[in-house]
Amino acid sequence: MSDIRHSLLRRDALSAAKEVLYHLDIYFSSQLQSAPLPIVDKGSVELLEEFVFQRLNSLQELQLLEIMCSYFQEQSKDSVRQIIFSSLFSPQGNKADDSRMSLLGKLVSMAVAVCRIPVLECAASWLQRTPVVYCVRLARALVDDYCCLVPGSVQTLKQIFSASPRFCCQFITAVTALYDLSSDDLIPPLDLLEMIVSWIFEDPRLILITFLNTPIAANLPIGFLELTPLIGLIRWCVKAPLAYKRKKPCLSNGHISQKVAKDSGTGTGTDRDSHLLYSKLHLSVLQVLMTLQLHLTEKNLYGRLGLILFDHMVPLVEEINRLADELNPLNASQEIELALDRLAQALQVAMTSGALLCTRDDLRTLCSRLPHNNLLQLVISGPVQQSPHTALPPGFYPHIHTPPLAYGAVPAHPAAHPALPSHPGHTFISGVTFPFRPIR
């Protein structure tokens, strides 16, 4: 590597960066012939950090981005593309990560603009194997470029739906991790919300692409994006009525200007649009949840893998409870009821489909501090409508009969029933229904 470095030092910054890419292409292409998973060695990373991420001015950086786009487009071997992309942009935990992430955001943004599908596919894989703290940085860069800086540019981002659904799925997962509605700044921009709802409403299966096409390990790593954006989308739908009610526009001489009202979503038209979008999104999420039983069964994961972790529902319920307490003085009874209705519907369908693995006692404990809601009371106290899954005895939950995987598993409670081999089943009462309440 030292000979290569001395040769690169004699070149100008742009040609040196190009030469590093050329060297890595030859190096990894050769490695892939003898090893299916080549190792990115320290020397290669050091060359990238010195000659790609530190020496370029703005014009040279733009030229390098064009070169990268062309390279990934022209490289015919996906394995080579993936390892080169990984060596370029996998975080190393050092000072070069800021430059690395900045260049990645610009490259993916350019790939969206000129529809370079290989770059988007590589970015989808990167989002799947990279810690979530970096994924949300890429998501924010794309949202800034296409939803905030230039009005109308969201249409360009919207068009990649048909070009790279896999990237769209991972992008949605990252965006829902970024915008968790915990503050007014973390409410998704209206253009972004509208685009995501249009994607999912057109094809709800979009949000299952990563799950359906990924080998499932028994122990999925902590701190990475979820297999699906389901929990993030449920969070959006459930918290939205309360989060938008909480928004307090700035006052100027005691009045709200039309511009502030429009930007903050407090204007009547914008507010109504967002509520309708969340209603459509909630319906699509419920439809996806209803399909999961079949997919989990096909993968032999029904009752063993919870795609919606109970541990992730705990902070969601706590946030709802906090927002409800905070908004009570504002007479937000309708918003609280709507949020709890959506929570109840999501819990009911998720449990019935096997996406959420938990017991009635878990739910009662979890929801005990929430304001009263009739539909939620039915869900946490009434029986689950028995699914037609033939492998399970009537009235039993799926996770009782098959040892759960570590990911999404709910621990057994032997102390609660020391003399019993399993939890008692809940008999389905045919006269009790759980109506789908129309979302206002």
Side-chain angles (χ1 to χ4, degrees), residues 239-314:
K239 289 181 65 176
L242 305 177
Y244 280 76
K245 184 72 173 180
R246 177 195 59 201
K247 292 179 72 173
K248 301 178 182 66
C250 299
L251 299 179
S252 176
N253 297 324
H255 300 283
I256 304 174
S257 69
Q258 289 184 350
K259 182 181 186 303
V260 171
K262 179 179 179 181
D263 292 344
S264 65
T266 57
T268 303
T270 305
D271 209 29
R272 184 169 56 248
D273 290 344
S274 64
H275 289 324
L276 289 173
L277 288 171
Y278 283 112
S279 292
K280 288 180 66 175
L281 180 60
H282 181 60
L283 175 59
S284 296
V285 169
L286 294 179
Q287 290 172 335
V288 172
L289 288 172
M290 291 173 66
T291 69
L292 274 177
Q293 179 184 308
L294 175 62
H295 297 309
L296 288 167
T297 302
E298 288 174 346
K299 286 178 169 281
N300 195 29
L301 294 172
Y302 186 75
R304 303 177 61 225
L305 176 70
L307 286 177
I308 299 174
L309 294 181
F310 184 78
D311 286 347
H312 289 172
M313 298 303 297
V314 174

Coordinates of all heavy atoms in Angstrom, one line a residue, residues 239-314:
K239 N -49.6 8.5 17.2 CA -49.2 9.8 17.9 C -49.6 11.0 17.2 O -49.7 12.1 17.7 CB -47.7 9.8 18.1 CG -47.2 8.9 19.2 CD -45.7 9.0 19.3 CE -45.3 10.3 19.9 NZ -43.8 10.4 20.1
A240 N -49.9 10.9 15.9 CA -50.2 12.1 15.0 C -51.3 13.0 15.6 O -51.1 14.2 15.7 CB -50.5 11.7 13.6
P241 N -52.5 12.5 16.0 CA -53.5 13.4 16.5 C -53.1 14.2 17.7 O -53.4 15.4 17.7 CB -54.7 12.4 16.9 CG -54.4 11.2 16.1 CD -52.9 11.1 16.0
L242 N -52.3 13.6 18.5 CA -51.8 14.3 19.7 C -50.6 15.2 19.4 O -50.6 16.3 19.9 CB -51.4 13.3 20.8 CG -52.4 12.3 21.2 CD1 -51.9 11.3 22.2 CD2 -53.7 13.0 21.8
A243 N -49.7 14.8 18.5 CA -48.6 15.6 18.2 C -49.0 16.9 17.5 O -48.4 17.9 17.7 CB -47.6 14.8 17.4
Y244 N -49.9 16.7 16.5 CA -50.4 17.9 15.8 C -51.2 18.9 16.7 O -51.1 20.1 16.5 CB -51.2 17.5 14.6 CG -50.3 17.1 13.4 CD1 -49.7 15.8 13.4 CD2 -50.1 17.9 12.3 CE1 -48.9 15.4 12.3 CE2 -49.3 17.5 11.3 CZ -48.7 16.3 11.3 OH -47.9 15.9 10.2
K245 N -51.9 18.3 17.6 CA -52.6 19.1 18.6 C -51.7 19.9 19.5 O -52.0 21.0 19.9 CB -53.6 18.3 19.4 CG -54.5 19.0 20.4 CD -55.6 19.8 19.7 CE -56.6 20.4 20.6 NZ -57.6 21.1 19.9
R246 N -50.6 19.3 19.8 CA -49.6 19.9 20.7 C -48.9 21.1 20.0 O -48.4 22.0 20.7 CB -48.5 18.8 21.1 CG -47.4 19.3 21.9 CD -46.2 18.3 21.9 NE -45.8 18.0 20.6 CZ -45.1 17.0 20.2 NH1 -44.9 16.0 21.1 NH2 -44.7 16.8 18.9
K247 N -48.8 21.1 18.7 CA -48.0 22.1 18.0 C -48.6 23.5 18.4 O -49.7 23.8 18.3 CB -48.1 21.9 16.5 CG -47.3 20.7 16.1 CD -47.4 20.5 14.6 CE -46.5 21.5 13.8 NZ -46.5 21.2 12.4
K248 N -47.6 24.4 18.8 CA -48.0 25.7 19.2 C -47.3 26.7 18.3 O -46.1 26.9 18.4 CB -47.7 26.0 20.6 CG -48.3 25.1 21.6 CD -47.9 25.4 23.0 CE -48.5 24.4 24.1 NZ -48.0 23.1 23.9
P249 N -48.0 27.3 17.3 CA -47.3 28.3 16.4 C -46.9 29.5 17.1 O -47.5 29.9 18.1 CB -48.4 28.6 15.4 CG -49.7 28.3 16.1 CD -49.4 27.2 17.0
C250 N -45.8 30.1 16.6 CA -45.3 31.3 17.2 C -46.3 32.5 17.0 O -46.8 32.6 15.9 CB -43.9 31.7 16.7 SG -42.7 30.4 17.0
L251 N -46.4 33.4 17.9 CA -47.3 34.5 17.8 C -46.5 35.8 17.5 O -45.4 36.0 18.0 CB -48.1 34.7 19.1 CG -49.0 33.5 19.6 CD1 -49.7 33.9 20.9 CD2 -50.0 33.2 18.5
S252 N -47.1 36.6 16.6 CA -46.5 37.9 16.3 C -47.6 38.9 16.6 O -48.6 39.0 15.9 CB -46.1 37.9 14.8 OG -45.6 39.2 14.5
N253 N -47.3 39.7 17.6 CA -48.3 40.7 18.1 C -49.7 40.1 18.4 O -50.7 40.6 18.1 CB -48.5 41.8 17.0 CG -47.2 42.6 16.7 OD1 -46.5 42.9 17.7 ND2 -47.0 42.9 15.5
G254 N -49.6 38.9 18.9 CA -50.8 38.2 19.4 C -51.5 37.5 18.2 O -52.6 36.9 18.5
H255 N -51.0 37.5 17.0 CA -51.7 36.9 15.9 C -50.7 35.9 15.2 O -49.5 36.0 15.2 CB -52.1 37.9 14.9 CG -53.1 38.9 15.5 ND1 -54.4 38.6 15.7 CD2 -52.9 40.2 15.9 CE1 -55.0 39.7 16.2 NE2 -54.1 40.6 16.4
I256 N -51.3 34.9 14.5 CA -50.5 33.9 13.8 C -50.6 34.3 12.3 O -51.6 34.5 11.7 CB -51.2 32.5 13.9 CG1 -51.3 32.1 15.4 CG2 -50.4 31.5 13.1 CD1 -52.0 30.8 15.6
S257 N -49.4 34.5 11.7 CA -49.3 34.9 10.3 C -49.7 33.7 9.5 O -49.6 32.6 9.9 CB -47.9 35.4 10.0 OG -47.0 34.3 10.0
Q258 N -50.2 34.1 8.2 CA -50.6 33.0 7.3 C -49.4 32.1 7.0 O -49.6 30.9 6.9 CB -51.2 33.6 6.1 CG -52.5 34.2 6.3 CD -53.1 34.7 5.0 OE1 -52.4 34.8 3.9 NE2 -54.4 35.1 5.0
K259 N -48.2 32.7 6.8 CA -47.0 31.9 6.5 C -46.7 30.9 7.6 O -46.4 29.7 7.4 CB -45.9 32.8 6.2 CG -44.6 32.0 5.8 CD -43.4 32.9 5.5 CE -42.2 32.2 4.9 NZ -41.8 31.1 5.8
V260 N -46.7 31.4 8.9 CA -46.4 30.5 10.0 C -47.4 29.4 10.1 O -47.1 28.3 10.3 CB -46.3 31.3 11.3 CG1 -46.2 30.4 12.5 CG2 -45.1 32.3 11.3
A261 N -48.7 29.8 9.9 CA -49.7 28.8 10.0 C -49.6 27.7 9.0 O -49.7 26.5 9.2 CB -51.1 29.5 9.9
K262 N -49.2 28.1 7.8 CA -49.0 27.1 6.7 C -47.8 26.2 7.0 O -47.9 25.0 6.8 CB -48.8 27.9 5.3 CG -48.6 26.9 4.2 CD -48.4 27.7 2.9 CE -48.2 26.7 1.7 NZ -48.0 27.5 0.4
D263 N -46.7 26.9 7.4 CA -45.4 26.1 7.6 C -45.6 25.1 8.8 O -45.0 24.1 8.8 CB -44.3 27.0 7.8 CG -43.9 27.8 6.6 OD1 -44.3 27.4 5.5 OD2 -43.2 28.8 6.7
S264 N -46.3 25.5 9.8 CA -46.4 24.7 11.0 C -47.5 23.7 11.0 O -47.7 22.9 11.8 CB -46.6 25.6 12.2 OG -47.9 26.3 12.2
G265 N -48.3 23.7 9.9 CA -49.4 22.8 9.8 C -50.6 23.1 10.6 O -51.5 22.3 10.8
T266 N -50.7 24.4 11.1 CA -51.8 24.8 11.9 C -52.9 25.4 11.0 O -54.0 25.7 11.5 CB -51.4 25.8 13.0 OG1 -50.8 26.9 12.4 CG2 -50.4 25.1 13.9
G267 N -52.7 25.6 9.8 CA -53.7 26.1 8.9 C -54.7 25.1 8.7 O -54.5 23.9 8.6
T268 N -56.0 25.5 8.5 CA -57.1 24.5 8.4 C -56.9 23.5 7.3 O -57.0 22.3 7.5 CB -58.4 25.3 8.2 OG1 -58.6 26.2 9.3 CG2 -59.6 24.3 8.2
G269 N -56.5 24.0 6.1 CA -56.3 23.1 5.0 C -55.2 22.1 5.2 O -55.3 20.9 4.9
T270 N -54.0 22.6 5.6 CA -52.9 21.8 5.8 C -53.1 20.8 6.9 O -52.8 19.6 6.8 CB -51.7 22.6 6.2 OG1 -51.4 23.6 5.1 CG2 -50.4 21.8 6.3
D271 N -53.8 21.2 8.0 CA -54.1 20.3 9.1 C -55.0 19.2 8.6 O -54.8 18.0 9.0 CB -54.8 21.2 10.2 CG -54.5 20.6 11.6 OD1 -53.5 20.0 11.8 OD2 -55.4 20.8 12.4
R272 N -56.0 19.6 7.8 CA -57.0 18.6 7.4 C -56.3 17.6 6.4 O -56.5 16.4 6.5 CB -58.2 19.3 6.6 CG -59.2 18.3 6.2 CD -60.5 19.1 5.7 NE -60.2 20.0 4.7 CZ -60.3 21.4 4.9 NH1 -60.6 21.9 6.0 NH2 -60.0 22.2 3.9
D273 N -55.4 18.1 5.6 CA -54.7 17.2 4.7 C -53.9 16.2 5.4 O -53.8 15.0 5.1 CB -53.7 18.0 3.8 CG -54.5 18.8 2.7 OD1 -55.7 18.6 2.5 OD2 -53.9 19.8 2.1
S274 N -53.1 16.6 6.5 CA -52.3 15.7 7.2 C -53.2 14.6 7.9 O -52.8 13.5 8.0 CB -51.4 16.5 8.2 OG -52.3 17.1 9.2
H275 N -54.3 15.0 8.5 CA -55.2 14.1 9.2 C -55.7 13.0 8.2 O -55.7 11.8 8.5 CB -56.3 14.8 9.8 CG -55.9 15.6 11.0 ND1 -55.0 15.2 11.9 CD2 -56.4 16.8 11.5 CE1 -54.8 16.1 12.9 NE2 -55.7 17.1 12.6
L276 N -56.0 13.4 7.0 CA -56.5 12.5 6.0 C -55.4 11.5 5.6 O -55.6 10.3 5.4 CB -57.0 13.2 4.8 CG -58.4 14.0 4.9 CD1 -58.7 14.8 3.7 CD2 -59.5 13.0 5.2
L277 N -54.2 12.1 5.5 CA -53.0 11.2 5.1 C -52.8 10.2 6.2 O -52.5 9.0 5.9 CB -51.8 12.1 4.9 CG -51.8 12.9 3.6 CD1 -50.7 13.9 3.6 CD2 -51.8 12.1 2.3
Y278 N -52.8 10.6 7.4 CA -52.6 9.6 8.5 C -53.7 8.5 8.5 O -53.4 7.4 8.9 CB -52.4 10.3 9.8 CG -51.1 11.0 10.0 CD1 -51.0 12.4 10.1 CD2 -49.9 10.2 10.2 CE1 -49.7 13.0 10.2 CE2 -48.7 10.8 10.3 CZ -48.6 12.2 10.4 OH -47.4 12.8 10.5
S279 N -54.9 8.9 8.2 CA -56.0 7.9 8.1 C -55.7 6.9 7.1 O -55.9 5.7 7.3 CB -57.3 8.7 7.9 OG -57.7 9.4 9.0
K280 N -55.3 7.4 5.9 CA -55.0 6.4 4.8 C -53.8 5.5 5.2 O -53.8 4.3 4.9 CB -54.6 7.2 3.5 CG -55.8 7.9 2.8 CD -55.3 8.6 1.6 CE -54.8 7.7 0.5 NZ -54.5 8.4 -0.7
L281 N -52.8 6.1 5.8 CA -51.7 5.4 6.2 C -52.1 4.3 7.3 O -51.6 3.1 7.2 CB -50.6 6.3 6.8 CG -49.3 5.6 7.3 CD1 -48.6 4.9 6.1 CD2 -48.4 6.7 7.9
H282 N -52.9 4.7 8.2 CA -53.3 3.7 9.2 C -54.1 2.5 8.6 O -53.8 1.4 9.0 CB -54.3 4.4 10.2 CG -54.8 3.6 11.3 ND1 -53.9 2.9 12.2 CD2 -56.0 3.2 11.7 CE1 -54.6 2.2 13.1 NE2 -55.9 2.4 12.8
L283 N -54.9 2.8 7.6 CA -55.6 1.7 6.9 C -54.7 0.8 6.2 O -54.8 -0.4 6.3 CB -56.6 2.3 6.0 CG -57.4 1.3 5.1 CD1 -58.2 0.3 5.9 CD2 -58.3 2.0 4.1
S284 N -53.7 1.4 5.6 CA -52.7 0.6 4.8 C -51.9 -0.3 5.8 O -51.6 -1.5 5.5 CB -51.7 1.5 4.0 OG -52.5 2.2 3.0
V285 N -51.5 0.3 6.9 CA -50.7 -0.5 7.9 C -51.6 -1.7 8.4 O -51.0 -2.8 8.6 CB -50.3 0.4 9.1 CG1 -49.7 -0.4 10.2 CG2 -49.2 1.4 8.6
L286 N -52.8 -1.5 8.7 CA -53.7 -2.6 9.2 C -53.8 -3.6 8.1 O -53.8 -4.9 8.4 CB -55.1 -2.1 9.5 CG -55.2 -1.1 10.7 CD1 -56.6 -0.7 11.0 CD2 -54.6 -1.8 12.0
Q287 N -53.9 -3.2 6.8 CA -54.0 -4.2 5.7 C -52.7 -5.0 5.6 O -52.8 -6.3 5.4 CB -54.2 -3.5 4.4 CG -55.6 -2.9 4.3 CD -55.8 -2.0 3.1 OE1 -54.8 -1.5 2.6 NE2 -57.0 -1.8 2.6
V288 N -51.5 -4.4 5.8 CA -50.3 -5.1 5.8 C -50.2 -6.1 7.0 O -49.8 -7.3 6.8 CB -49.1 -4.2 5.8 CG1 -47.8 -4.9 6.0 CG2 -49.0 -3.3 4.6
L289 N -50.6 -5.7 8.1 CA -50.6 -6.6 9.3 C -51.4 -7.8 9.1 O -51.1 -8.9 9.5 CB -51.1 -5.8 10.6 CG -50.1 -4.7 11.1 CD1 -50.8 -4.0 12.2 CD2 -48.9 -5.4 11.7
M290 N -52.6 -7.6 8.4 CA -53.5 -8.8 8.2 C -52.8 -9.8 7.2 O -53.2 -11.0 7.2 CB -54.8 -8.3 7.6 CG -55.6 -7.5 8.6 SD -57.1 -6.7 7.9 CE -58.0 -8.1 7.4
T291 N -51.9 -9.4 6.4 CA -51.2 -10.3 5.5 C -50.0 -11.1 6.2 O -49.5 -12.0 5.6 CB -50.7 -9.6 4.3 OG1 -49.6 -8.8 4.6 CG2 -51.8 -8.8 3.6
L292 N -49.6 -10.6 7.3 CA -48.4 -11.1 7.9 C -48.5 -12.6 8.3 O -47.5 -13.3 8.3 CB -47.9 -10.3 9.1 CG -47.1 -9.0 8.7 CD1 -46.8 -8.2 9.9 CD2 -45.8 -9.5 8.0
Q293 N -49.7 -13.0 8.7 CA -49.8 -14.4 9.2 C -49.3 -15.4 8.1 O -48.6 -16.3 8.4 CB -51.2 -14.7 9.6 CG -51.4 -16.1 10.0 CD -52.9 -16.4 10.3 OE1 -53.5 -15.7 11.1 NE2 -53.4 -17.5 9.7
L294 N -49.8 -15.1 6.9 CA -49.4 -16.0 5.8 C -47.9 -16.0 5.6 O -47.2 -17.0 5.4 CB -50.1 -15.6 4.5 CG -49.7 -16.3 3.2 CD1 -50.0 -17.8 3.3 CD2 -50.4 -15.7 2.0
H295 N -47.3 -14.7 5.6 CA -45.8 -14.6 5.3 C -45.0 -15.3 6.4 O -44.0 -15.9 6.2 CB -45.5 -13.2 5.1 CG -46.1 -12.5 4.0 ND1 -46.0 -13.0 2.7 CD2 -46.8 -11.3 3.9 CE1 -46.7 -12.2 1.9 NE2 -47.1 -11.2 2.6
L296 N -45.4 -15.1 7.7 CA -44.7 -15.7 8.8 C -44.8 -17.2 8.7 O -43.8 -17.9 9.0 CB -45.3 -15.2 10.1 CG -44.9 -13.7 10.5 CD1 -45.8 -13.2 11.6 CD2 -43.5 -13.6 10.8
T297 N -46.0 -17.7 8.3 CA -46.2 -19.2 8.2 C -45.3 -19.7 7.1 O -44.6 -20.8 7.3 CB -47.6 -19.5 7.9 OG1 -48.5 -18.9 9.0 CG2 -47.9 -21.0 7.8
E298 N -45.2 -19.0 6.0 CA -44.4 -19.5 4.9 C -42.9 -19.6 5.3 O -42.2 -20.5 4.8 CB -44.5 -18.6 3.7 CG -45.9 -18.7 3.0 CD -46.1 -17.7 1.9 OE1 -45.2 -16.8 1.8 OE2 -47.0 -17.9 1.1
K299 N -42.5 -18.7 6.2 CA -41.1 -18.7 6.6 C -40.9 -19.6 7.9 O -39.8 -19.5 8.5 CB -40.6 -17.3 6.9 CG -40.4 -16.4 5.7 CD -40.0 -15.0 6.0 CE -39.4 -14.2 4.8 NZ -38.1 -14.6 4.5
N300 N -41.9 -20.3 8.3 CA -41.9 -21.1 9.5 C -41.5 -20.2 10.7 O -40.8 -20.6 11.6 CB -40.8 -22.2 9.4 CG -41.0 -23.3 10.4 OD1 -42.1 -23.5 10.9 ND2 -39.9 -23.9 10.8
L301 N -42.0 -19.0 10.8 CA -41.7 -18.1 11.9 C -43.0 -17.7 12.6 O -42.9 -16.9 13.5 CB -41.1 -16.8 11.3 CG -39.7 -17.0 10.7 CD1 -39.2 -15.7 10.0 CD2 -38.7 -17.4 11.8
Y302 N -44.1 -18.3 12.2 CA -45.4 -17.9 12.9 C -45.4 -18.3 14.4 O -45.2 -19.5 14.7 CB -46.6 -18.5 12.2 CG -47.9 -18.1 12.7 CD1 -48.4 -16.8 12.4 CD2 -48.7 -18.9 13.5 CE1 -49.6 -16.4 12.8 CE2 -49.9 -18.5 14.0 CZ -50.4 -17.2 13.6 OH -51.6 -16.8 14.1
G303 N -45.5 -17.3 15.2 CA -45.5 -17.6 16.7 C -44.1 -17.6 17.2 O -43.9 -17.8 18.4
R304 N -43.0 -17.4 16.4 CA -41.7 -17.4 16.8 C -40.9 -16.1 16.6 O -39.9 -15.8 17.3 CB -40.9 -18.5 16.1 CG -41.5 -19.9 16.3 CD -40.8 -21.0 15.4 NE -39.4 -21.1 15.9 CZ -38.4 -21.1 15.0 NH1 -38.6 -21.1 13.7 NH2 -37.1 -21.3 15.5
L305 N -41.4 -15.3 15.7 CA -40.7 -14.0 15.4 C -41.8 -12.9 15.5 O -42.7 -12.9 14.8 CB -40.1 -14.0 14.0 CG -39.5 -12.7 13.6 CD1 -38.2 -12.5 14.4 CD2 -39.1 -12.7 12.1
G306 N -41.5 -12.0 16.4 CA -42.4 -10.8 16.5 C -41.8 -9.6 15.7 O -40.8 -9.1 16.1
L307 N -42.5 -9.3 14.6 CA -42.0 -8.2 13.8 C -42.2 -6.9 14.5 O -41.6 -5.9 14.2 CB -42.6 -8.2 12.4 CG -42.1 -9.2 11.4 CD1 -42.9 -9.2 10.1 CD2 -40.6 -9.1 11.1
I308 N -43.2 -6.8 15.4 CA -43.4 -5.7 16.2 C -43.1 -6.1 17.6 O -43.8 -6.9 18.3 CB -44.9 -5.2 16.1 CG1 -45.3 -4.8 14.7 CG2 -45.2 -4.0 17.1 CD1 -46.7 -4.5 14.5
L309 N -42.0 -5.5 18.1 CA -41.5 -5.9 19.4 C -42.4 -5.3 20.5 O -42.7 -4.1 20.5 CB -40.1 -5.5 19.6 CG -39.0 -6.1 18.7 CD1 -37.6 -5.6 19.1 CD2 -39.0 -7.6 18.9
F310 N -42.7 -6.1 21.5 CA -43.5 -5.6 22.7 C -42.6 -4.5 23.4 O -43.2 -3.5 23.8 CB -43.8 -6.8 23.6 CG -44.6 -6.3 24.8 CD1 -46.0 -6.2 24.6 CD2 -44.0 -6.1 26.0 CE1 -46.8 -5.8 25.7 CE2 -44.8 -5.7 27.1 CZ -46.2 -5.5 26.9
D311 N -41.3 -4.7 23.4 CA -40.5 -3.7 24.1 C -40.6 -2.3 23.4 O -40.3 -1.3 24.0 CB -39.0 -4.2 24.1 CG -38.8 -5.3 25.1 OD1 -39.7 -5.5 25.9 OD2 -37.7 -5.9 25.0
H312 N -40.9 -2.3 22.1 CA -41.1 -1.1 21.4 C -42.5 -0.4 21.6 O -42.6 0.8 21.4 CB -40.8 -1.2 19.9 CG -39.4 -1.5 19.5 ND1 -39.0 -1.9 18.3 CD2 -38.3 -1.5 20.3 CE1 -37.7 -2.1 18.3 NE2 -37.2 -1.8 19.5
M313 N -43.4 -1.3 22.0 CA -44.7 -0.7 22.3 C -44.8 0.0 23.6 O -45.6 0.9 23.8 CB -45.8 -1.9 22.3 CG -46.0 -2.6 21.0 SD -46.4 -1.5 19.6 CE -48.0 -0.9 20.2
V314 N -43.9 -0.4 24.5 CA -43.8 0.2 25.9 C -43.6 1.7 25.8 O -44.4 2.5 26.3 CB -42.8 -0.5 26.8 CG1 -42.7 0.2 28.1 CG2 -43.2 -2.0 27.0

